[in-house]
Amino acid sequence: MKSSELRHAFFTFFTQRGHTSVPSSSLIPADDPTLLFANAGMNQFKGLFLGTEQRTYTRAVSIQKCIRAGGKHNDLENVGFTDRHLTFFEMMGNFSFGDYFKHEAILFAWEFLTNTIALNPDTLWVSVFEQDNEAYDIWHTHIGIPRQRIIRLGARDNFWQMGDTGPCGPCTEIYVDRGTNYGCAENTCAPGCHCNRFLEIWNLVFMQYNRQSDGIDLPLAKTGVDTGMGLDRLCAVVQNVSSVFETDLFMPIITAIERLSEKRYASSTPDIKAAFRVLADHIRSTTCAIADGCVPAADGRGYVLRKIIRRAALFAQKLSPEPFFPALVDSVISTLGPWYPDLTTRRDVIYTILSQEVEQFSRNLTRGTQVLTNHFTESGPAHTISGTMAFTLYDTYGFPLELTKVIAHEHGVSVDVAGFEKEMDRQRAQSIKKSGTPVLPIPTTMSTTFTGYSELLSKAPVQALITEHNTLTTTVESGTDCWVITTQTPFYVECGGQVSDQGVVQINGYTTPITGLLKQGNAIAFRITAPQQIRCGDFITMQVDQQARAQTTKNHTATHLLQAALMAQFGPSIKQAGSLVTPHYLRFDFSCAVPVTTAQLQSIETIINEQICNNIPVNTRITTLAEAQQAGVTAFFGEKYNPEQVRVVAIPGVSAELCGGTHVRATGDIGLCKITELSSPSAGNKRIVAVTGPTAFRLFQTIASTAKSISLQLRVPEERVYDTVAGQQEHIKQLHTQLRTNRKELITLRMPRWVEQMHTTSSLSYGIVVLEQVPVDELRDAAQQLAAQASGLWCVIGTELAQEKVSCIITVTSGLSTATAMKDLLSMLATVHIKGGVRDTTIHGGAPRMPEGLRSVIEAWIQKHST
Ligand code: SER
């Protein structure tokens, strides 16, 4: 069976059994800061398991893109060295949300494996959580698996949790016995053994708890089922090949590596084979992550992406001196493109980002590897790489720890990881500010209705209070900082790039500003310093700062116009890579592989302002995700969409986006839009900053009045201001060159007189020359010329061009003094406030103003050093 047939068989099997087919979510987790990348099929259903979200279905089936290269589930270090570890894979899963539980889940899995895809039942083993007698009985009594093929394992293997917090529960795993060729021959070998004989293919999790940050597991209101089976592993079993890399999911990529590196996979040494596997896996994860909007960065998921690319660059070197890794993108598109169309439309962006990242790292890779080679040569082969050294490699050469470990492993030495972490902690302590987003103990069932789309003032009762010590309470005292949760609120909490509202609240006649806003689950909380005692049930009036909101709203709708104009200009492959909408400006990042010209930028600005003049009414509607997608509505990665209830903000004929933000009633309300900045914050990404409304108008006013005054000053019409200034600058440059020549001539002419006026002493003659408004390089030239013409010490001192500060060059004709003596002179010059440095027998110094008593210092020094 081919992988495409397995995909179809899986969806068919479960949809026939009442499951709704749900597409894979983006690899960038929606609205979930606890997760770097989607790492399991259940991520997009987290809210359903927790009971904070409802959908019309209670059974789902999906094949989910996953990356496990950071955080709780991290396979990065193993990739290349085993038959089965990957950073990117696709997880097939069926799910029940308060519907069926252990019995059906086990029956479904068994039927699919032994019936639909006809695996030999005698080769299947299972493990259950050691305390889970129910699952054990189902496998033994209902399915008929003999006791010797059911293993009880502890929490490490058979209790699944998504992260440190969140839904979790005991699980049962299904293994295929691949035979003694793959591992131990003994009868005692069983799942849980570290050999390769038993390949885990399917994990059925029985969701029962919600793990809290203190480690306590609270029972979920409704139990659920979350299963996960790696498509790649199932392919390896069904296609009867020894590793996932030999399945039809990987072979086209392996073939592409063979072609580009001119090496053969099958006949390679284990070392080279590992490089093939690393590249084949890493090109899939990086391609898919970038397609979903991730870009390499110094922290967070961008850093995980960077680590993978750099690890690939290291292994690519073993196969070819050419940096061919980015070129493998096309082989990923040929294998995964049919399932994930974004890969094809964003091919150029992906290729550009990979190429730039590989190129930027290549020099450091060479230099860092050299540092390590020197270390091995100097300290002997068996020397551990110290934490400090690993940190320097990380900090100076950009070597992720994983890379250093790979190289260390190749040399048979270890890395002091604890020492490295210590250095990292030290650095973090210096540089990292706390994110400041607290987790409040708000009951998960509590919700607040947002009224802020239609009103800026609401009155509602308090339903919960949280003290400054983060405890849930029913009363807070006057003067204390607290979070307040009301039943309704007009305050918008930061989401989709739009910043939180500002505003005030009134409690029994007292008015106080809100100092923070937070959305947790479905509840919205604001922070205040209680102006008097507050109790649950008290009514609070909440008022949004109208002016700030109005400006933010203008900027938000303008962002939609900008997005539409960019798509009109560059085509639909433009992808939002982040946005910020504040009362003062809007910022929009998008991935775009080609340069943006000034003319294009102007045309984008023109399109936006035309749409503003057209005064198109902006409307919003609630619909389902499927309907919105069918209607071609633009949706962005990283946003959390409830598939059954999405909000579409439409500017008919121009744009339709999924968006929860606040918008103007008609585009004319924006007034005006001016793009103020175009930059490139990271490889493959562009950033546009713009202002709207009164801010844009003031900007035009300032620009116009500045242009007017310059035109009056220059006595030329405004349209000629630019050319005139450019012409004048050219003229100034020529004048400077002329002045320089004149100064030099003058200095040369005056030189004989300065030589004549030299002071003689018994041991060393000296001359002091004072010049005005001369750049320091000319002072240095003069001093050198003088020392060549007349033997002795020359001090040339002068004011810098158009500056108060003084520069001073003191040089002695070669052979008449030493660097040590000059250092002594420099220390003596401190009394006249000259500071600087010494090179050979020349002092380069400076002083805040012209020094007095310079001559006495020089004479004292000559005296001291005369022999
Ligand atoms: N969430 C479980 C896993 O990732 C089953 O899907 O293994």
Side-chain angles (χ1 to χ4, degrees), residues 39-42 68 91 95 160 203-205 207 226-229:
N39 65 8
M42 56 74 64
R68 290 190 172 177
M91 187 183 273
F95 305 89
W160 198 85
N203 183 14
L204 319 179
V205 182
M207 288 297 188
D226 147 36
T227 85
M229 172 158 59

Side-chain angles (χ1 to χ4, degrees), residues 298-455:
D299 53 18
R301 62 178 67 96
Y303 187 61
V304 176
L305 174 61
R306 175 162 282 170
K307 282 203 284 203
I308 305 175
I309 300 175
R310 292 186 175 183
R311 193 169 183 268
L314 176 75
F315 280 92
Q317 280 190 330
K318 295 181 197 298
L319 296 179
S320 165
E322 294 302 318
F324 70 92
F325 178 66
L328 296 173
V329 159
D330 296 317
S331 61
V332 179
I333 295 175
S334 76
T335 49
L336 292 176
W339 316 103
Y340 308 109
D342 267 3
L343 298 182
T344 313
T345 48
R346 294 178 41 77
R347 188 251 170 222
D348 292 347
V349 173
I350 300 166
Y351 180 80
T352 308
I353 292 180
L354 285 177
S355 305
Q356 290 182 355
E357 184 69 16
V358 167
E359 193 193 312
Q360 277 167 11
F361 182 55
S362 62
R363 203 147 36 94
N364 273 357
L365 179 59
T366 315
R367 283 164 55 199
T369 314
Q370 191 56 48
V371 169
L372 274 172
T373 311
N374 293 348
H375 168 77
F376 292 129
T377 322
E378 280 160 22
S379 57
H383 210 278
T384 308
I385 296 176
S386 68
T388 321
M389 173 150 225
F391 181 75
T392 309
L393 284 164
Y394 161 81
D395 204 35
T396 314
Y397 300 102
F399 273 40
L401 181 64
E402 288 80 355
L403 212 72
T404 306
K405 277 189 186 167
V406 170
I407 301 172
H409 180 74
E410 283 170 353
H411 285 81
V413 304
S414 58
V415 181
D416 174 10
V417 176
F420 172 82
E421 292 300 346
K422 226 158 102 191
E423 295 290 336
M424 286 293 281
D425 284 347
R426 210 196 315 265
Q427 193 200 41
R428 270 187 215 117
Q430 280 164 5
S431 64
I432 289 184
K433 286 194 227 112
K434 279 196 139 180
S435 82
T437 310
V439 177
L440 303 181
I442 304 175
T444 45
T445 49
M446 194 166 277
S447 67
T448 307
T449 309
F450 176 63
T451 56
Y453 288 132
S454 53
E455 59 187 40

Side-chain angles (χ1 to χ4, degrees), residues 17-20 57-61 95-97 99-100 104 108:
R17 283 156 186 79
H19 292 66
T20 299
Y57 52 81
T58 53
R59 297 177 176 203
V61 54
F95 305 89
S96 150
F97 314 111
D99 190 323
Y100 60 84
E104 291 90 330
F108 285 153

Side-chain angles (χ1 to χ4, degrees), residues 652-692:
V654 181
S655 123
E657 284 187 28
L658 292 193
C659 175
T662 63
H663 288 272
V664 297
R665 284 161 311 166
T667 54
D669 295 350
I670 301 170
L672 193 60
C673 177
K674 174 85 192 101
I675 294 176
T676 55
E677 191 185 313
L678 169 72
S679 58
S680 188
S682 56
N685 271 353
K686 300 277 181 299
R687 166 170 292 175
I688 284 180
V689 178
V691 290
T692 64

